[in-house]
Amino acid sequence: MKVVTLASGSKGNSTYLETDSVKILIDLGLSLKQIEQKLEVLQVNPSSIDAILLTHEHSDHIKGVAFFAKKYGAKIYAHNLLWEVLQNKLKDKAVTNKIVLFSDDFIIGDLAISSFELPHDAVYCVGYSFINDGKKISIATDLGHTNSRIMEKLKNSTLVILEANHDEHLLRNNPKYPIYLKNRILSSKGHLSNITAAETILELASYNVKQIVLAHLSEENNAPEVAYNTIKKFLLEKGVEEGKHIFVDVATQNKIGNIFNLK
Ligand SMILES: [Zn+2]
Ligand SMILES: [Zn+2]
């Protein structure tokens, strides 16, 4: 199984995942042109994408989905509660390609997928776990906090793509952000901070997780080195060494991330 973040952050998200028989995108919050360019860099034919799995209805996750599905025929997968709002947001442009999920667990080709609800200010927001050939990849971004139900899903993952949205100090002191927006981001249904991500990673380290990719970093209230250094320091204080006990990579807004080829 292979995974790579194509874009990650408040301005647009998309992750590419492939197995021997399936190619999928998780979210498509980029323009059609942007996603076409990124897939070209990876030498992936857009017509070979089987499915796009959506996490929730915010535009940084769905912007290009209807256009891409219409042009290339990929099926759009989303939970039935999410479809109730998507119907409007996508203006039915891709209705023929629509797969409505009524169950948390489903299969696409040789990929076993499990979705789980995340606490976020959306109608219905999910994370996903993907299992193939004894490896497990999990994605959890856009969540205000974690709980035992989410941790249960993430544990024993070979790789976890986890949100580290903001540095709380930078956010609280950002003069450009109105107070209502700060409160929304900081709330239990907002986004994980670097510290809450670090706490989650510490727990995951005790559940056999060895590779983390920090994701959905705010360009305004965070930076790759700030997130990485904060988390590395936090872990080290608890006796977990980055690069030895666990590996932490950072996904960014504009660059295609590192390709993780899990064998
Ligand atoms: Zn988002
Ligand atoms: Zn969101």
Side-chain angles (χ1 to χ4, degrees):
M1 193 161 36
K2 198 158 119 179
V3 70
V4 51
T5 55
L6 303 179
S8 189
S10 343
K11 295 199 182 98
N13 295 275
S14 192
T15 300
Y16 172 74
L17 186 148
E18 74 169 43
T19 65
D20 289 342
S21 72
V22 176
K23 294 184 169 87
I24 66 166
L25 294 173
I26 299 98
D27 287 330
L28 210 181
L30 303 170
S31 70
L32 185 58
K33 197 174 168 196
Q34 283 173 321
I35 190 74
E36 284 173 340
Q37 283 169 347
K38 285 176 187 276
L39 290 175
E40 196 183 339
V41 172
L42 294 175
Q43 294 182 305
V44 174
N45 180 349
S47 305
S48 70
I49 301 287
D50 301 288
I52 306 162
L53 275 57
L54 299 180
T55 59
H56 65 300
E57 76 276 16
H58 289 159
S59 69
D60 57 318
H61 298 260
I62 65 163
K63 207 183 297 162
V65 84
F67 304 104
F68 186 91
K70 194 172 179 205
K71 186 167 176 187
Y72 297 110
K75 294 189 173 68
I76 305 172
Y77 285 67
H79 193 276
N80 69 312
L81 294 171
L82 177 52
W83 271 118
E84 288 176 18
V85 278
L86 278 179
Q87 207 79 21
N88 248 336
K89 299 224 172 200
L90 302 179
K91 301 197 174 56
D92 261 356
K93 281 191 282 277
V95 78
T96 51
N97 304 15
K98 157 179 165 180
I99 304 287
V100 184
L101 300 168
F102 290 97
S103 160
D104 290 339
D105 302 312
F106 56 103
I107 284 172
I108 303 177
D110 59 0
L111 201 52
I113 305 166
S114 187
S115 72
F116 43 97
E117 193 179 355
L118 298 175
H120 188 53
D121 55 356
V123 168
Y124 194 72
C125 184
V126 297
Y128 288 104
S129 284
F130 302 91
I131 298 176
N132 168 268
D133 201 19
K135 304 286 185 212
K136 177 177 169 186
I137 292 170
S138 299
I139 297 185
T141 68
D142 299 77
L143 66 163
H145 65 281
T146 55
N147 55 39
S148 56
R149 192 178 42 78
I150 297 168
M151 295 309 289
E152 195 59 39
K153 294 287 188 175
L154 300 184
K155 68 189 199 185
N156 298 315
S157 294
T158 320
L159 179 151
V160 176
I161 297 174
L162 181 72
E163 174 166 70
N165 179 259
H166 56 273
D167 175 282
E168 204 175 313
H169 182 76
L170 289 178
L171 173 62
R172 286 192 190 278
N173 292 295
N174 187 337
K176 285 191 273 179
Y177 272 45
I179 191 78
Y180 81 89
L181 188 56
K182 290 181 184 180
N183 288 339
R184 214 193 93 194
I185 295 167
L186 291 163
S187 86
S188 66
K189 292 188 131 196
H191 292 278
L192 288 188
S193 70
N194 292 338
I195 292 297
T196 44
E199 287 165 351
T200 307
I201 294 166
L202 180 66
E203 203 177 332
L204 290 175
S206 70
Y207 288 126
N208 298 320
V209 177
K210 296 272 187 292
Q211 180 69 59
I212 301 283
V213 178
L214 304 176
H216 212 298
L217 272 68
S218 163
E219 285 187 306
E220 293 278 346
N221 306 305
N222 210 354
E225 55 282 9
V226 172
Y228 174 80
N229 289 330
T230 304
I231 288 166
K232 182 181 173 173
K233 182 167 170 274
F234 179 98
L235 293 175
L236 196 58
E237 282 165 3
K238 312 284 180 196
V240 173
E241 203 177 322
E242 196 280 327
K244 186 177 174 193
H245 303 113
I246 196 159
F247 295 84
V248 178
D249 190 39
V250 189
T252 60
Q253 184 68 75
N254 297 315
K255 279 203 204 123
I256 297 175
N258 290 317
I259 300 172
F260 290 90
N261 212 334
L262 310 180
K263 284 183 188 149

